[in-house]
Amino acid sequence: MSLQTLVNQLRSFLPPEAVLHETEDLKPYECDALSAYRQLPMVVVLPRTEEQVIKVLQLCHAMKIPIVARGAGTGLSGGALPHAEGVLLSLARLNQIIAVEPLARMARVQPGVRNLAISEAAAPYGLHYAPDPSSQIACSIGGNVAENSGGVHCLKYGLTVHNILKLRVLTIEGECLEIGGESLDSAGYDLLALMTGSEGMLGIVTEITVKLIPVPEQAQLVMAAFDDIHKAGNAVANVIGAGIIPAGMEMMDKITIHAVEEFLHAGYDLDAAAILLCESDGSTEEVADEIGRIQAIMQQSGAIKISTSRNEAERLSFWAGRKAAFPAAGRVSPDYYCMDGTIPRKHLADVLCGIENLSQAYGLRCMNVFHAGDGNLHPLILYDANQPGELEKTEEFGSKILEMCIRAGGTITGEHGVGMEKINQMCLQFKTRELEMFHAIKATFDPEGLLNPGKAVPTLHRCAELGAMHVHRGEEKFPELPRL
Amino acid sequence: MQILIDHLATTLHTAAERKTPLQIHGGGSKAFYGNPVAGENVDVLDVATYSGIIDYDPTELVVTARAGTRLADLEAKLNQQGQMLAFEPPHFAAAATLGGCVATGLSGPRRASAGAVRDFVLGVRLLDGMGSDLHFGGQVMKNVAGYDVSRLQVGAMGTLGILLEVSLKVLPQPQSERTVRMQMNETEAIQRVNQWAGKPLPISASCFCEGELTVRLSGAESAVHAAHAKLGGEELAEGKSFWESVREQTHAFFQSGKTLWRLSIKSTTPPVSLPGQQLIEWNGALRWLVSDEGVDAETIRTVASNAAGHATLFRSGESRAEVFHPLAPGMMKIHRLLKQKFDPVGILNHGRLYPEHLNANQSR
């Protein structure tokens, strides 16, 4: 089918401005927040109703046209990278909060609703939606479901998969499935879990019922500085070992501390090798009890300086530095590349040492911010894309970090997803039979492979070419997507 | 231990070749639950011998154990370190295993506040219907590499594979717990527990039965004390054994020997009008019904569907109804296809979840 025919067909049920095909209109959709990967789609569609989404799916299914779903485009793994011969399905205009039910503590929302907007709508009832990815001002709940997003508070409050109840999902044929329910469990297989984090490979979510939980009465933050990263790592283990599940527990290394302090003057200790931020929330009594215990543990773990927020403004200013880590990286370096491995915490010091060695070997600086409570590392590799070969070097460095995470018993992605970015490392983490099972699951929902082709799960052919046990990065910069 | 896996894999190969249906047997504590395995000449495959804790580091909040490990042993080990399985799985018998806990996906009183089995499963190792040894998920809290096959096993009743090993997130036990009881009618109890659940209160379980609402508070002693003051009610001295009796169904309510239905519905649903006695857990989201004779399954299922939930025939006295709530045709199709992908010949606990599985295979 010619492009013009496709556009005409789409415009038979979509208003003209909801079907984009001129290059300048397509440009904003060429990448998500991982801008190293870019590709113009053939067409972008911006439906406003589920009915329109169904028609888009039916048309594409009949015409065998690939579909890539996109929320707010804040993803960090190229999951929403368009397909050159496909339709980019933006769900941004399905942006209605359908219902907030305070007594039942749930909200029904469309996928294009921003994460933070849900908590804002629930705030008058003293409720909120717990997962808070750092992009929560902009990211959409549909994208959160696709990636199983976490956030700073997920050790205590869980990931997206723990905080949703029900999904309306359209299959590639345009059939509607209701997965999950308004009860706490449902009959049959846990397809709700299967859909969550499936990166737009299995179906298109058009409605999400999320759980709302009470806003804690109080939150308080302990900031502890350490002269040694091992001591900071042990402090994390000591807090958990004492039976405390902090609302948030974040670690920053020296280079990060310096970068954010220069940027923000948050009062971080510049002599520290690592800073731990440890938050307690809950009832006033619970917080008072927990903060006292956390302070004592930090002391015993050898902290050189401990500060505790005395009020909300101070708590937010302590957090500000952590939250500014990414912009600070952007200030000290023209470009940065954010990684997302998770490791068992006991291997933290070894992995950080390994990263430091790689940093020297590649001659690239690396800032480490770390969701310390759940072992999720976010190394930020600083580079300059204008220097020839530096992006390639950076990607190779990043890939080595992920291999190290697998070797430490961890995973190549804690919360950003595989997308296009980590497709090769999937060959390292999973065996052939496991990858085959992933393909079989995909085929259950989408036998012709039209939904987000080429993402999340590598073809066996691809893994074979890369070598079963070793990945040679940089040999193929923009790998060809499978043609359908 | 690898020998045991090799042996299981060989058994699966042979069964697949001969198309012999297998009934997976762990501790047998939940054998009453679910549909019987379909087909003739079913072989019982004992998997309880593959047992033992593989890795447990309390400060990582993760335990990995073989599926044959007894739940009691696992919980005792966690208890030594002041930790717990926060979803409070029912054992129903001393022989209960971790594998059965995951396969049935049943959670106890703390579920509404802490989460269910599926919320704590981080990774699994399993043998699929062709005997392939597969790992999914891992031993870390956050992991989005690949589809979530681990959680897919929870509640699958062994129809998608033989669980070999499971990694679970564990949590510290609360510093203190207190159980309080107050008298009120059912309508008021449902209203109250839902209101409380929307407030920052340390409520970790609730149970309404025969005009009495029992609530458990968990957390720092000071927080529990403050919450008790807010909620009111008489402290129950034997709180621990009360929750144990609800979890293990040794409470008098469950002892009638009659048919027991489990209605998992929207928590705010007003009192459900069905003949029989009810016990309410999970802030109203779980209604147990001991049904009198003459209530047909369809009536109960309609009530549950209308309350945005589903009904399970948990223990059948006289009833010969289907155990699990029927699925919409589109969902049933996905179930059939998934089953075929994991178990192409259809030998693993066939029909234990839905008999339709069998029909699908026969018609192929």
Side-chain angles (χ1 to χ4, degrees):
Chain A
M1 178 174 12
S2 76
L3 175 61
Q4 199 50 54
T5 320
L6 175 64
V7 169
N8 289 343
Q9 296 235 18
L10 289 165
R11 285 191 173 155
S12 71
F13 57 85
L14 286 168
E17 84 282 356
V19 183
L20 312 177
H21 64 97
E22 302 289 349
T23 306
E24 66 268 27
D25 296 331
L26 299 178
K27 202 79 180 151
Y29 298 92
E30 69 175 350
C31 63
D32 57 19
L34 180 65
S35 56
Y37 296 88
R38 291 168 195 267
Q39 171 66 58
L40 286 180
M42 189 160 62
V43 178
V44 173
V45 292
L46 298 146
R48 204 173 277 285
T49 66
E50 183 185 75
E51 196 51 39
Q52 291 169 345
V53 180
I54 291 173
K55 286 185 175 156
V56 171
L57 288 167
Q58 286 170 340
L59 177 65
C60 289
H61 182 240
M63 300 299 165
K64 312 289 174 231
I65 297 170
I67 297 176
V68 177
R70 176 185 169 108
T74 56
L76 288 164
S77 58
L81 181 75
H83 190 289
E85 288 153 28
V87 167
L88 186 96
L89 171 60
S90 167
L91 294 153
R93 288 185 182 173
L94 274 85
N95 59 2
Q96 299 301 303
I97 294 177
I98 300 163
V100 177
E101 294 188 58
L103 189 60
R105 306 167 316 281
M106 55 180 79
R108 269 198 308 138
V109 302
Q110 290 188 316
V113 171
R114 288 175 307 115
N115 172 297
L116 190 60
I118 302 174
S119 288
E120 286 167 355
Y125 311 104
L127 300 170
H128 73 137
Y129 174 66
D132 56 345
S134 54
S135 56
Q136 72 174 151
I137 297 171
C139 66
S140 70
I141 184 70
N144 290 175
V145 172
E147 305 297 327
N148 191 15
S149 306
V152 168
H153 293 95
C154 63
L155 179 67
K156 184 166 179 182
Y157 295 108
L159 306 158
T160 305
V161 70
H162 303 109
N163 287 281
I164 59 173
L165 291 165
K166 185 180 174 185
L167 298 173
R168 267 176 82 84
V169 177
L170 300 179
T171 66
I172 183 67
E173 291 96 351
E175 191 191 344
C176 183
L177 300 175
E178 298 215 334
I179 295 179
E182 294 181 354
S183 47
L184 289 177
D185 48 39
S186 23
Y189 296 144
D190 196 336
L191 300 185
L192 192 65
L194 190 64
M195 288 303 305
T196 311
S198 64
E199 305 197 18
M201 304 281 291
L202 305 181
I204 304 294
V205 173
T206 56
E207 193 180 298
I208 302 125
T209 306
V210 302
K211 269 187 217 171
L212 301 174
I213 61 167
V215 176
E217 217 166 67
Q218 218 195 357
Q220 211 175 352
L221 187 66
V222 173
M223 176 164 73
F226 292 85
D227 58 7
D228 178 297
I229 200 119
H230 289 82
K231 287 185 191 165
N234 288 337
V236 174
N238 293 341
V239 169
I240 306 269
I244 297 169
I245 301 293
M249 181 129 77
E250 297 287 308
M251 192 192 287
M252 287 176 288
D253 69 354
K254 189 169 189 114
I255 165 166
T256 310
I257 296 166
H258 281 251
V260 299
E261 187 56 28
E262 259 170 51
F263 179 47
L264 216 75
H265 311 291
Y268 286 2
D269 189 340
L270 292 174
D271 294 329
I275 283 180
L276 266 186
L277 297 173
C278 187
E279 183 161 278
S280 167
D281 72 8
S283 67
T284 312
E285 298 81 11
E286 195 91 51
V287 172
D289 176 88
E290 212 165 79
I291 287 288
R293 294 165 65 208
I294 292 169
Q295 286 168 329
I297 293 165
M298 293 299 171
Q299 194 83 52
Q300 288 153 17
S301 307
I304 51 172
K305 190 177 167 197
I306 300 172
S307 325
T308 305
S309 66
R310 284 163 300 186
N311 50 51
E312 193 58 10
E314 202 167 73
R315 184 180 77 90
L316 295 176
S317 86
F318 287 178
W319 268 123
R322 165 61 185 88
K323 293 196 169 165
F326 285 36
R331 256 174 66 108
V332 298
S333 170
D335 298 284
Y336 65 90
Y337 186 41
C338 175
M339 309 304 297
D340 172 45
T342 304
I343 53 167
R345 256 183 293 97
K346 59 190 163 198
H347 298 305
L348 174 65
D350 294 342
V351 171
L352 289 181
C353 269
I355 292 176
E356 175 57 29
N357 291 341
L358 286 169
S359 168
Q360 284 175 13
Y362 283 97
L364 293 167
R365 290 175 299 163
C366 183
M367 291 168 49
N368 279 294
V369 291
F370 182 48
H371 299 307
D374 42 35
N376 191 191
L377 284 165
H378 289 314
L380 301 173
I381 304 172
L382 308 182
Y383 73 103
D384 181 354
N386 288 327
Q387 298 296 319
E390 201 153 298
L391 173 63
E392 288 72 15
K393 234 169 39 165
T394 300
E395 287 191 313
E396 197 177 303
F397 181 2
S399 150
K400 290 268 164 60
I401 294 176
L402 297 184
E403 288 169 36
M404 203 152 59
C405 290
I406 300 175
R407 279 198 301 273
T411 177
I412 57 171
T413 174
E415 58 184 358
H416 295 171
V418 174
M420 199 61 241
E421 180 200 21
K422 290 175 280 272
I423 194 109
N424 288 342
Q425 283 79 23
M426 284 291 283
C427 306
L428 290 181
Q429 189 162 333
F430 294 98
K431 294 180 296 202
T432 301
R433 279 293 294 130
E434 291 152 359
L435 293 170
E436 278 174 350
M437 190 58 86
F438 290 149
H439 286 296
I441 290 169
K442 161 84 169 159
T444 295
F445 290 83
D446 176 23
E448 289 158 294
L450 295 173
L451 290 170
N452 216 3
K455 310 280 180 61
V457 185
T459 60
L460 299 176
H461 178 70
R462 184 185 186 105
C463 290
E465 290 218 322
L466 288 161
M469 292 309 294
H470 190 69
V471 181
H472 304 281
R473 286 283 293 195
E475 285 174 9
E476 34 168 13
K477 271 304 302 147
F478 290 95
E480 251 206 299
L481 298 167
R483 298 294 167 200
L484 294 148
Chain B
M1 279 296 172
Q2 186 57 43
I3 290 176
L4 286 175
I5 295 178
D6 294 343
H7 175 70
L8 286 172
T10 310
T11 310
L12 284 173
H13 288 306
T14 315
E17 257 168 44
R18 296 181 185 161
K19 299 190 165 45
T20 312
L22 297 173
Q23 181 192 336
I24 307 168
H25 184 88
S29 63
K30 296 166 189 78
F32 68 86
Y33 182 68
N35 295 304
V37 173
E40 284 163 18
N41 305 319
V42 177
D43 277 353
V44 174
L45 181 62
D46 188 359
V47 291
T49 42
Y50 191 66
S51 69
I53 293 168
I54 297 169
D55 192 17
Y56 173 43
D57 183 345
T59 67
E60 295 284 333
L61 295 176
V62 177
V63 64
T64 302
R66 298 189 184 93
T69 309
R70 285 193 173 198
L71 267 184
D73 294 343
L74 181 59
E75 291 192 314
K77 185 86 178 175
L78 300 178
N79 190 43
Q80 284 171 10
Q81 301 292 332
Q83 297 189 331
M84 63 176 181
L85 298 177
F87 48 93
E88 295 187 322
H91 295 211
F92 295 146
T97 63
L98 171 61
C101 159
V102 172
T104 55
L106 298 171
S107 305
R110 207 183 298 271
R111 192 267 173 259
S113 71
V117 190
R118 56 93 79 176
D119 294 312
F120 289 86
V121 167
L122 300 174
V124 298
R125 178 181 182 185
L126 59 86
L127 292 175
D128 70 9
M130 302 305 283
S132 299
D133 184 354
L134 308 174
H135 289 77
F136 297 100
Q139 292 174 270
V140 288
M141 299 290 162
K142 287 161 94 177
N143 185 355
V144 291
Y147 303 124
D148 196 343
V149 176
S150 314
R151 289 196 173 88
L152 190 63
Q153 304 303 318
V154 181
M157 299 295 288
T159 58
L160 299 179
I162 292 180
L163 292 169
L164 294 175
E165 292 161 16
V166 182
S167 294
L168 293 169
K169 178 181 177 178
V170 299
L171 284 181
Q173 293 170 1
Q175 279 179 285
S176 74
E177 299 206 304
R178 189 180 298 189
T179 297
V180 297
R181 179 169 284 173
M182 46 206 98
Q183 319 294 318
M184 65 183 74
N185 67 38
E186 187 178 345
T187 308
E188 197 184 349
I190 292 168
Q191 183 78 9
R192 286 269 185 98
V193 287
N194 275 287
Q195 283 168 346
W196 287 335
K199 303 257 184 306
L201 291 164
I203 295 175
S204 68
S206 67
C207 174
F208 178 83
C209 186
E210 291 187 354
E212 285 179 332
L213 176 64
T214 313
V215 171
R216 183 175 62 191
L217 302 166
S218 305
E221 175 58 33
S222 54
V224 166
H225 186 79
H228 185 185
K230 274 182 207 160
L231 262 52
E234 290 293 314
E235 183 171 352
L236 198 69
E238 65 279 18
K240 203 170 155 62
S241 62
F242 171 79
W243 295 111
E244 185 75 9
S245 75
V246 174
R247 172 180 176 177
E248 297 299 340
Q249 301 193 343
T250 53
H251 186 280
F253 169 85
F254 296 100
Q255 297 297 310
S256 69
K258 292 186 194 165
T259 299
L260 178 67
W261 284 87
R262 176 188 188 274
L263 280 73
S264 176
I265 57 178
K266 189 170 183 172
S267 66
T268 47
T269 309
V272 168
S273 166
L274 283 167
Q277 290 77 50
Q278 291 183 40
L279 181 143
I280 305 177
E281 284 191 84
W282 300 0
N283 300 330
L286 184 62
R287 318 270 171 114
W288 295 101
L289 169 73
V290 171
S291 76
D292 294 331
E293 62 289 344
V295 194
D296 64 306
E298 204 163 325
T299 306
I300 294 169
R301 296 225 140 103
T302 306
V303 166
S305 297
N306 291 342
H310 63 108
T312 308
L313 176 55
F314 200 83
R315 288 181 195 265
S316 48
E318 294 299 302
S319 179
R320 290 285 164 268
E322 264 298 295
V323 170
F324 297 104
H325 205 90
L327 300 173
M331 289 288 278
M332 196 65 228
K333 184 180 141 201
I334 301 280
H335 276 65
R336 263 189 223 121
L337 290 170
L338 279 175
K339 167 74 175 166
Q340 282 169 15
K341 302 291 160 69
F342 281 88
D343 179 22
V345 187
I347 52 168
L348 296 174
N349 270 7
H350 213 69
R352 197 93 164 73
L353 190 62
Y354 287 105
E356 280 91 332
H357 284 150
L358 188 70
N359 301 337
N361 275 280
Q362 280 175 339
S363 65
R364 276 190 310 152

